[in-house]
Amino acid sequence: MLNLIRMNLYRMAKTKSLWIVLLCMAAFCTFACSMVTIDLEEMQKNKENNLSGSFAAVYKEEEEETAGGFGISVQVPEKEDGEIPTFLEFYNSDLASGIVLVFLCIGCVIYFNGEIKSGFLKNIAGQTRHKSNIFLSKIIANMVYILVALLLYGVVQFFSLWFMLKDKYTFRFGGEFIKETGVLLMAFFLLYLAFLGGISLVTTVLKSTAAGITLGMLSAFGVLSSFGAYADKLLHVNLSKYMVITNVHGMFVGAVRKDIFFAMGVGALFSVIYYLLGAVYFTKKDVV
């Protein structure tokens, strides 16, 4: 098992496509930070015209315009005193928006489907006593990829915001939110792992990069959550709260602690289900 884990991590490190996806994510993060500066300038103009009195009003207005639609939206915590949110508030809000999941699902599908084309499976399938270990060892690879993405996004966002805002605004790290962020990151990790577990299962079963990426993108953009909301109305059962992406959207600074722990449970449960199903299917199928 340890050899399989090392092999998967080595293959991940040598896959250029995965690094390209991470670089694209970093570039998008920088672009998103530049949009924050534009929102701040718009807020100042509104203040001068007595149209708005808080930084969060810009985000709230955009949220109302996009309510009920599909896509990625960031809910930045409101600041009654007009102070801009701290870095940790920005960071947790971006993670809750699902934008990181868009890039993670692309990298996950490339990684899982790439081994079929490269002949990686054919070389090791006959040398492994338990075929399920081949699939289960990829859990570690998914974990590492999530951790790298979370770290990279945080570093890029911090330095981007600091560089763009330091001359005009008082930008703080937000040390008072460190403990809360630690708990939220554990929830994000489990939910992201479950999300990638579902995408990897679809990719393994269908052997289709297009199907995996399409499903992942639609899920990250909230399309499946919208169907869940309609199911709630028809069946009068709150199914949405058990959906991974719905719980991701609820993880931000100020979230109720019981909701965070519930989200952890959802992430852990679906991770076990998805990866076990994937391991069983992989064990039964022929490697060709």
Side-chain angles (χ1 to χ4, degrees):
M1 186 67 172
L2 291 178
N3 289 333
L4 289 174
I5 293 174
R6 285 196 291 266
M7 291 174 67
N8 276 287
L9 292 177
Y10 178 82
R11 187 169 66 85
M12 174 174 284
K14 292 298 182 178
T15 304
K16 295 181 179 179
S17 299
L18 299 183
W19 293 106
I20 293 175
V21 171
L22 290 177
L23 288 176
C24 290
M25 182 189 70
F28 184 88
C29 178
T30 304
F31 171 75
C33 291
S34 68
M35 294 297 100
V36 170
T37 62
I38 295 176
D39 287 337
L40 283 171
E41 293 175 358
E42 185 66 23
M43 179 271 294
Q44 285 187 335
K45 292 179 181 179
N46 288 338
K47 275 187 176 182
E48 294 174 358
N49 296 326
N50 295 323
L51 296 177
S52 175
S54 67
F55 170 75
V58 176
Y59 287 91
K60 188 174 182 180
E61 180 180 339
E62 291 178 353
E63 181 183 350
E64 289 175 355
E65 291 177 355
T66 58
F70 302 137
I72 301 296
S73 61
V74 180
Q75 296 181 355
V76 179
E78 295 186 9
K79 294 287 187 178
E80 296 181 356
D81 56 1
E83 180 185 1
I84 69 170
T86 63
F87 160 69
L88 288 180
E89 289 176 293
F90 277 118
Y91 181 55
N92 285 288
S93 296
D94 278 15
L95 295 184
S97 71
I99 184 58
V100 177
L101 287 178
V102 173
F103 297 96
L104 282 176
C105 81
I106 296 174
C108 176
V109 172
I110 292 174
Y111 175 74
F112 270 78
N113 211 38
E115 65 184 10
I116 299 175
K117 298 180 180 179
S118 65
F120 176 78
L121 287 178
K122 297 178 183 179
N123 295 332
I124 66 172
Q127 306 175 24
T128 306
R129 179 177 301 179
H130 303 290
K131 284 177 59 180
S132 59
N133 288 344
I134 299 176
F135 187 88
L136 294 176
S137 63
K138 298 174 190 175
I139 299 177
I140 305 300
N142 269 349
M143 289 180 175
V144 171
Y145 197 58
I146 292 172
L147 292 175
V148 171
L150 292 175
L151 177 62
L152 178 63
Y153 194 92
V155 171
V156 172
Q157 186 179 36
F158 175 78
F159 284 104
S160 296
L161 289 173
W162 174 78
F163 179 78
M164 295 176 185
L165 302 178
K166 64 176 181 176
D167 296 330
K168 297 181 179 180
Y169 307 97
T170 301
F171 179 65
R172 298 190 304 109
F173 179 80
E176 64 271 28
F177 301 117
I178 290 181
K179 291 184 179 180
E180 186 175 359
T181 298
V183 178
L184 287 171
L185 284 177
M186 288 189 287
F188 280 125
F189 178 78
L190 290 172
L191 290 169
Y192 283 15
L193 186 64
F195 184 89
L196 295 189
I199 300 303
S200 62
L201 175 61
V202 171
T203 303
T204 301
V205 173
L206 300 181
K207 297 182 181 180
S208 172
T209 301
I213 292 179
T214 300
L215 180 61
M217 298 283 278
L218 291 176
S219 298
F221 288 152
V223 175
L224 298 183
S225 298
S226 298
F227 287 119
Y230 285 114
D232 293 346
K233 295 180 180 179
L234 294 175
L235 302 177
H236 303 289
V237 178
N238 191 4
L239 298 178
S240 297
K241 70 176 183 179
Y242 300 104
M243 300 181 70
V244 172
I245 193 64
T246 302
N247 281 275
V248 169
H249 292 330
M251 298 296 101
F252 48 82
V253 172
V256 180
R257 186 59 62 94
K258 68 175 183 178
D259 292 339
I260 298 176
F261 288 130
F262 180 82
M264 288 182 181
V266 171
L269 176 62
F270 278 97
S271 294
V272 172
I273 293 174
Y274 286 144
Y275 287 110
L276 281 181
L277 288 176
V280 171
Y281 175 82
F282 185 84
T283 302
K284 299 299 181 180
K285 78 168 187 176
D286 296 327
V287 178
V288 294

